[in-house]
Amino acid sequence: MTERNTAIRSLHDLGLAAWFGGSLMGAVGLNGAAQDEGGVGASRDRISSSGWAKWAPVNAAAIGAHLFGGGGLLAVNAHRVAAQQGVGASTAAKTVITAAALAATAYARILGKKVELASSTDPADAEKAGKHPIDLDKAHRQLAYAQWAVPALTGCLVVLNALHGEQQRPTEQIPGMWERARSATHLTS
């Protein structure tokens, strides 16, 4: 119970922190600044798209670190997931919310790329956008929802991460494993 997993936990937590913080800052700060400086239309879209495009590789690295760390934590805590009451359920919830956050992140990037191409002054981008025209108003609405869904979902992951930390305390582990064992014996009786 005293085994340390500092490197894996750090990858998991720092990746999640960057994913959550970057998405929240982008939704509030970057989009707000683009609105203030670019006004409406293509100018606003170019400013916002440029910032999000610069963030995308950092965000991908953060997500990768979080997923790698999460996989490592799951591997080293598999016994707790199986034996301690409540840990399996919170792990399942965390897995589902992680998948939803990944989907929202990917969807936001796809929509953002479409808006970026539609607002670009580069003739090659304009040609690509012309081959796949989009309803910009609809794309903006969907993008706004997706960009707010990411910090909402990753914020839920931060809360579940705190729950997992609480569940890892020795005062939680022993009774949780005892209760799981007791419940299993009642099911077989």
Side-chain angles (χ1 to χ4, degrees), residues 26-91:
V28 175
L30 177 57
N31 290 347
Q35 182 70 34
D36 291 348
E37 295 301 315
V40 295
S43 181
R44 174 202 60 214
D45 291 343
R46 279 193 297 276
I47 293 168
S48 183
S49 294
S50 176
W52 282 108
K54 287 178 181 7
W55 173 248
V58 177
N59 197 40
I63 292 168
H66 173 68
L67 294 175
F68 183 81
L73 286 174
L74 183 58
V76 299
N77 289 297
H79 66 285
R80 287 186 45 249
V81 173
Q84 184 180 344
Q85 187 171 23
V87 177
S90 61
T91 300

Side-chain angles (χ1 to χ4, degrees), residues 30-157:
L30 177 57
N31 290 347
Q35 182 70 34
D36 291 348
E37 295 301 315
V40 295
S43 181
R44 174 202 60 214
D45 291 343
R46 279 193 297 276
I47 293 168
S48 183
S49 294
S50 176
W52 282 108
K54 287 178 181 7
W55 173 248
V58 177
N59 197 40
I63 292 168
H66 173 68
L67 294 175
F68 183 81
L73 286 174
L74 183 58
V76 299
N77 289 297
H79 66 285
R80 287 186 45 249
V81 173
Q84 184 180 344
Q85 187 171 23
V87 177
S90 61
T91 300
K94 194 170 177 183
T95 301
V96 168
I97 294 172
T98 299
L102 286 168
T105 300
Y107 187 59
R109 184 64 187 131
I110 290 166
L111 288 169
K113 191 66 178 170
K114 288 179 179 182
V115 170
E116 178 183 342
L117 289 173
S119 65
S120 177
T121 57
D122 182 341
D125 288 345
E127 185 179 324
K128 288 178 192 174
K131 290 179 183 177
H132 304 285
I134 63 167
D135 178 344
L136 267 177
D137 289 334
K138 181 179 177 183
H140 283 128
R141 282 191 308 277
Q142 292 173 335
L143 184 56
Y145 288 128
Q147 286 176 335
W148 279 105
V150 176
L153 291 164
T154 54
C156 289
L157 291 174

